[in-house]
Amino acid sequence: MATPLSANALRLKYLTFASYKNALDSNRTAVVVGATSGIGQACAYRLAEQGYKVIAVGRDRPGRADSIIQTLNSKSTNGIKHEGDIEIPVHEFYPCDAFSLNNVSLTAKQILEQHKKIDVVVLTQGMATTQGFTPTKEGNDEKLTLHYYSRIAMANALLPALRESDMKNGPVVVSVLSGGVHSPYKEYSNDPDLKKNYSVKNAADSAGFYNDLTLDHMALDNKNEGINFVHASPGFVNTNWGTEFNFVLRCMVRMLQPLGRKASDCAEYMIGSSVLASDVGDSLPARLNGENKGIYVIGENGQSKGLTNMHSQDAKEFIWNHTVKVFEKAGIEL
């Protein structure tokens, strides 16, 4: 297996004037959820540098929309050297409370009203807590909602626009969470919503396991042929991750953070090995399960990773049907 390129080598490979101009001419459009901080923000910046129109989605704050769009404009202007006047993309910001599946659905509909073609969806929304089962207004656990339900709700809603993409190797949906790192959640068929078996580990494993199962289910749907569904793990990244921890844990995380990878380097691996590779016609990292269809799983260096030993057709169907029921209660149709 080939040694993964460094973050800088990936950047040099894909950030060229030709690729930048192609993105502008093709009106490449990326939706980035969680674009207001951390890995999501770094991915949004990287795509703007590449010439993509970025539709940033995140929690609203006073002045946040203007600040994000201003920075994205700067990235689009300064990412690549060019001569003469080039009309950069018009970036956008959509406020969204990802704890609410209904709000996620409404935000996706607003995006679709303005954009008939979308090439990329990057899903990074999340939280780090040691809290127990904490229900949203819709009755689902907060952590599982951010890490799984809201991601699938957004990706599913944007499928009509993704099907209109003309990227060389197909549009890309990337869920940045724990691909190839998490364990299977063994109680998925008895307690899929974690109301009886909640723990920090089960919350993490279930979200990762469910991302694998459902993204694979979506990838194998004939209506989604040509769309690349990717579950990625970012590794340890120096971001503001852990702001929801208690004071002691938060201090411990902050002490370790300088040891983490820069968010910008993380974005090179998460975006370069999937989105930018597809855009120029390169292959995505090989699937380790021997299949030529289905989900891609990539690690922190953009390398191929595997699925869990409980990844099965039965598990995919069970979690898909469970997700359908959860979404129906929120007024969403899968």
Side-chain angles (χ1 to χ4, degrees):
M1 186 177 297
T3 302
L5 296 176
S6 68
N8 188 55
L10 272 175
R11 182 179 178 83
L12 292 173
K13 178 180 181 180
Y14 290 119
L15 187 57
T16 65
F17 180 75
S19 63
Y20 177 79
K21 188 69 164 53
N22 176 70
L24 294 177
D25 293 343
S26 304
N27 189 32
R28 288 283 178 257
T29 303
V31 176
V32 182
V33 186
T36 57
S37 64
I39 295 170
Q41 185 180 75
C43 289
Y45 290 173
R46 181 63 186 87
L47 288 163
E49 287 181 321
Q50 195 73 24
Y52 280 61
K53 172 198 288 286
V54 174
I55 301 171
V57 180
R59 284 189 172 186
D60 203 6
R61 296 285 188 276
R64 175 168 278 178
D66 290 341
S67 175
I68 289 174
I69 291 173
Q70 183 178 5
T71 306
L72 290 171
N73 287 340
S74 174
K75 295 293 182 180
S76 293
T77 304
N78 301 324
I80 190 77
K81 292 182 179 179
H82 57 268
E83 297 180 358
D85 294 330
I86 290 182
E87 187 174 348
I88 66 172
V90 179
H91 304 296
E92 301 172 16
F93 175 73
Y94 286 76
C96 179
D97 177 10
F99 284 118
S100 167
L101 297 181
N102 183 261
N103 193 240
V104 170
S105 178
L106 290 174
T107 302
K109 288 178 181 177
Q110 291 172 351
I111 293 172
L112 286 177
E113 287 174 358
Q114 301 299 320
H115 302 278
K116 304 305 179 185
K117 177 183 77 74
I118 292 171
D119 304 287
V120 178
V121 177
V122 181
L123 306 158
T124 69
Q125 63 268 37
M127 63 188 300
T129 71
T130 55
Q131 66 190 30
F133 184 96
T134 305
T136 64
K137 292 181 179 179
E138 293 160 337
N140 307 304
D141 178 62
E142 286 186 348
K143 193 177 293 186
L144 194 55
T145 296
L146 288 186
H147 294 168
Y148 172 65
Y149 294 126
S150 67
R151 296 178 180 221
I152 300 304
M154 181 63 75
N156 178 75
L158 296 180
L159 285 173
L162 284 162
R163 295 178 185 130
E164 299 300 318
S165 173
D166 60 352
M167 279 177 63
K168 285 187 179 180
N169 275 355
V172 182
V173 176
V174 186
S175 180
V176 181
L177 186 64
S178 60
V181 174
H182 62 85
S183 299
Y185 172 53
K186 296 180 180 180
E187 296 298 320
Y188 76 88
S189 60
N190 299 316
D191 184 29
D193 47 18
L194 279 77
K195 289 183 178 178
K196 300 176 182 177
N197 295 281
Y198 194 93
S199 68
V200 172
K201 176 173 170 53
N202 284 346
D205 286 341
S206 61
F209 188 45
Y210 295 176
N211 267 268
D212 279 354
L213 296 170
T214 301
L215 291 175
D216 197 28
H217 183 282
M218 295 170 74
L220 294 171
D221 187 331
N222 290 333
K223 296 191 296 296
N224 301 328
E225 186 174 1
I227 302 177
N228 303 291
F229 293 86
V230 180
H231 184 193
S233 53
F236 183 44
V237 183
N238 187 356
T239 67
N240 62 352
W241 181 85
T243 55
E244 302 91 350
F245 281 146
N246 62 48
F247 177 76
V248 174
L249 282 177
R250 193 164 62 249
C251 288
M252 292 173 65
V253 170
R254 294 295 175 264
M255 290 175 63
L256 293 172
Q257 274 183 318
L259 302 176
R261 168 179 287 165
K262 292 190 299 183
S264 58
D265 286 348
C266 174
E268 293 292 346
Y269 288 114
M270 299 296 98
I271 298 301
S273 60
S274 58
V275 174
L276 304 184
S278 182
D279 201 359
V280 302
D282 289 348
S283 298
L284 274 68
R287 300 177 181 89
L288 295 185
N289 57 3
E291 299 289 339
N292 58 7
K293 293 183 179 181
I295 188 175
Y296 291 94
V297 183
I298 64 174
E300 67 276 11
N301 295 318
Q303 78 277 29
S304 300
K305 300 285 282 187
L307 297 162
T308 72
N309 59 9
M310 289 184 67
H311 192 93
S312 67
Q313 186 61 34
D314 287 345
K316 281 190 287 187
E317 290 180 1
F318 184 92
I319 292 304
W320 177 260
N321 291 332
H322 164 72
T323 305
V324 168
K325 293 176 182 177
V326 169
F327 283 15
E328 285 177 346
K329 293 179 180 178
I332 301 171
E333 182 178 347
L334 272 182

